[in-house]
Amino acid sequence: MSATFAQAVTVKSISVDARVMKFPRISLDGIAYDALAFEYATQGKTEIIAVNAAMETLQCNGKAKQNHYFAVDYRGPEIIFRITDQRKNRVLHLEQLATDGTSFYGQGACEGNAELKTRFEREKSAWLANLEKQLLAKARKQMEEFIQNNSALDYQDLQFPLFYFAAENSRFDNANRAFDRAREAFGLSMQFGITKEAEDTLKSVTATWEQELTHLLTSKKTSADMEQVRMALHRNLSNAYFFIRKYDLARRHDAMAISKGMKQEESIQGLILEHEQRTILSPQVAANVVLTANLYRFGRNAIRSAQLEEINNFAELKRALSQL
């Protein structure tokens, strides 16, 4: 896209792909993957809290039909999930899974639900046993997905606009050279993932764009066209700072871009916050690009063979959870 201002400068953009490191929801500082234990414990049985009458409209053989059924509120078994670094006797993650909910009995019955209550009472024990089996299977899948998605570094592919400036003079040459270098750095990320070369390049690029902003702020040109140029620079800086994990600066420039006219739906504040919340758990790893790259490879390999085990130690996990 492009916009021309006072026939002096045209703000243009291209769509750029970049691959950023996504930190897990556990601390990686000093982690020993070969000593990790993935465990869970359960307590109690599934219990019915309330049975509420409900009604739905079905289409049965092309005709609308009212069907009565039960909405059954239940309390599932307590399940606590723990990840421990046993070499350092350190708990990396401790969570009680949500198992309460509402299930339905008698839905979708075009043949009708005569004696619904009687049938439910007769089948209640088997119905509860089947529900509990489903809840335990769902919980296990949730824990296994957490292990795979939140226990090791991973990459996230992103796409965003990168802005440059077409002018009749050399006014924006420095900013455009920075654009070219940023584009190369993001291209490197798609080929090789996180690298010191790309990070160092973007640190240099952000310094150039910051200088351009300072120059614009100190100049007497405060017209609407220069506001659009500032917005473009703020957006470039927000994405570059996000890539090198300078989240406070990324957030600030994103907010400044909004103040200059960027649409709210183009903001990356939510993305910044999510990555910041993850990265803050591992400050030592995040500060070292080489360590991050090596730990990514080691962690992904280790997680592939991770085993989730049930332990008979619910009381200890419950006590630890109460102390958080």
Side-chain angles (χ1 to χ4, degrees), residues 46 77 126-140:
T46 303
W127 184 84
L128 275 172
N130 183 60
L131 175 61
E132 182 165 305
K133 184 178 179 181
Q134 294 177 34
L135 292 174
L136 292 173
K138 179 181 178 182
R140 186 174 185 91

Side-chain angles (χ1 to χ4, degrees), residues 45-60:
K45 294 289 186 179
T46 303
E47 301 175 348
I48 293 176
I49 301 172
V51 179
N52 303 299
M55 187 171 64
E56 64 183 345
T57 300
L58 302 176
Q59 291 295 321
C60 302

Side-chain angles (χ1 to χ4, degrees), residues 24-309:
R25 295 191 182 278
I26 64 172
S27 174
L28 298 177
D29 290 351
I31 195 171
Y33 271 107
D34 56 348
L36 294 191
F38 304 94
E39 304 165 324
Y40 73 99
T42 67
Q43 177 177 273
K45 294 289 186 179
T46 303
E47 301 175 348
I48 293 176
I49 301 172
V51 179
N52 303 299
M55 187 171 64
E56 64 183 345
T57 300
L58 302 176
Q59 291 295 321
C60 302
N61 297 322
K63 296 182 179 180
K65 181 178 180 179
Q66 300 296 308
N67 178 60
H68 295 273
Y69 66 96
F70 287 151
V72 185
D73 297 333
Y74 61 84
R75 180 183 297 111
E78 291 185 273
I79 303 174
I80 299 179
F81 173 45
R82 179 175 69 182
I83 302 176
T84 308
D85 186 337
Q86 295 182 322
R87 183 175 299 172
K88 297 189 176 182
N89 194 28
R90 181 173 60 138
V91 175
L92 300 175
H93 183 77
L94 187 64
E95 173 189 9
Q96 181 161 354
L97 276 61
T99 57
D100 298 349
T102 301
S103 190
F104 305 103
Y105 179 87
Q107 268 193 324
C110 276
E111 67 277 11
N113 270 323
E115 299 183 349
L116 181 65
K117 184 176 181 180
T118 301
R119 284 194 295 111
F120 180 70
E121 290 297 328
R122 185 173 63 245
E123 298 174 1
K124 183 165 60 176
S125 294
W127 184 84
L128 275 172
N130 183 60
L131 175 61
E132 182 165 305
K133 184 178 179 181
Q134 294 177 34
L135 292 174
L136 292 173
K138 179 181 178 182
R140 186 174 185 91
K141 181 180 179 181
Q142 181 181 342
M143 292 182 282
E144 289 174 342
E145 287 179 349
F146 185 96
I147 293 170
Q148 294 301 318
N149 299 331
N150 290 290
S151 297
L153 290 159
D154 204 353
Y155 282 111
Q156 180 176 3
D157 289 351
L158 300 174
Q159 189 175 78
F160 50 86
L162 192 65
F163 295 87
Y164 64 101
F165 311 98
E168 296 175 355
N169 52 35
S170 61
R171 168 64 189 84
F172 292 100
D173 283 1
N174 285 340
N176 286 337
R177 279 193 289 268
F179 162 88
D180 292 334
R181 297 181 65 206
R183 188 178 179 184
E184 291 173 3
F186 292 132
L188 280 176
S189 75
M190 294 302 296
Q191 288 183 278
F192 306 110
I194 189 170
T195 63
K196 189 174 185 302
E197 180 182 356
E199 294 239 342
D200 288 346
T201 296
L202 287 174
K203 288 175 183 178
S204 174
V205 162
T206 56
T208 298
W209 284 333
E210 290 281 15
Q211 289 173 358
E212 289 295 326
L213 273 176
T214 300
H215 179 80
L216 287 171
L217 286 171
T218 56
S219 71
K220 295 181 180 180
K221 295 181 180 179
T222 57
S223 58
D225 57 345
M226 287 300 106
E227 289 295 286
Q228 293 299 309
V229 171
R230 292 188 183 102
M231 181 184 72
L233 288 169
H234 283 303
R235 293 189 69 175
N236 282 356
L237 282 162
S238 180
N239 285 309
Y241 279 130
F242 171 76
F243 186 92
I244 60 177
R245 299 178 299 285
K246 300 291 185 182
Y247 299 117
D248 55 337
L249 294 173
R251 190 164 46 247
R252 187 180 77 184
H253 282 286
D254 185 86
M256 289 300 297
I258 292 174
S259 73
K260 301 299 181 185
M262 181 180 73
K263 296 178 181 178
Q264 187 68 46
E265 57 266 28
E266 295 177 312
S267 168
I268 62 169
Q269 292 283 343
L271 184 68
I272 295 168
L273 179 60
E274 180 194 1
H275 278 254
E276 184 176 34
Q277 289 174 337
R278 290 168 171 264
T279 307
I280 201 172
L281 298 173
S282 309
Q284 296 175 18
V285 174
N288 188 319
V289 176
V290 176
L291 176 60
T292 300
N294 291 337
L295 197 57
Y296 162 75
R297 289 187 288 270
F298 187 78
R300 296 316 308 176
N301 289 332
I303 290 303
R304 289 193 188 99
S305 59
Q307 296 293 320
L308 177 63
E309 297 183 5

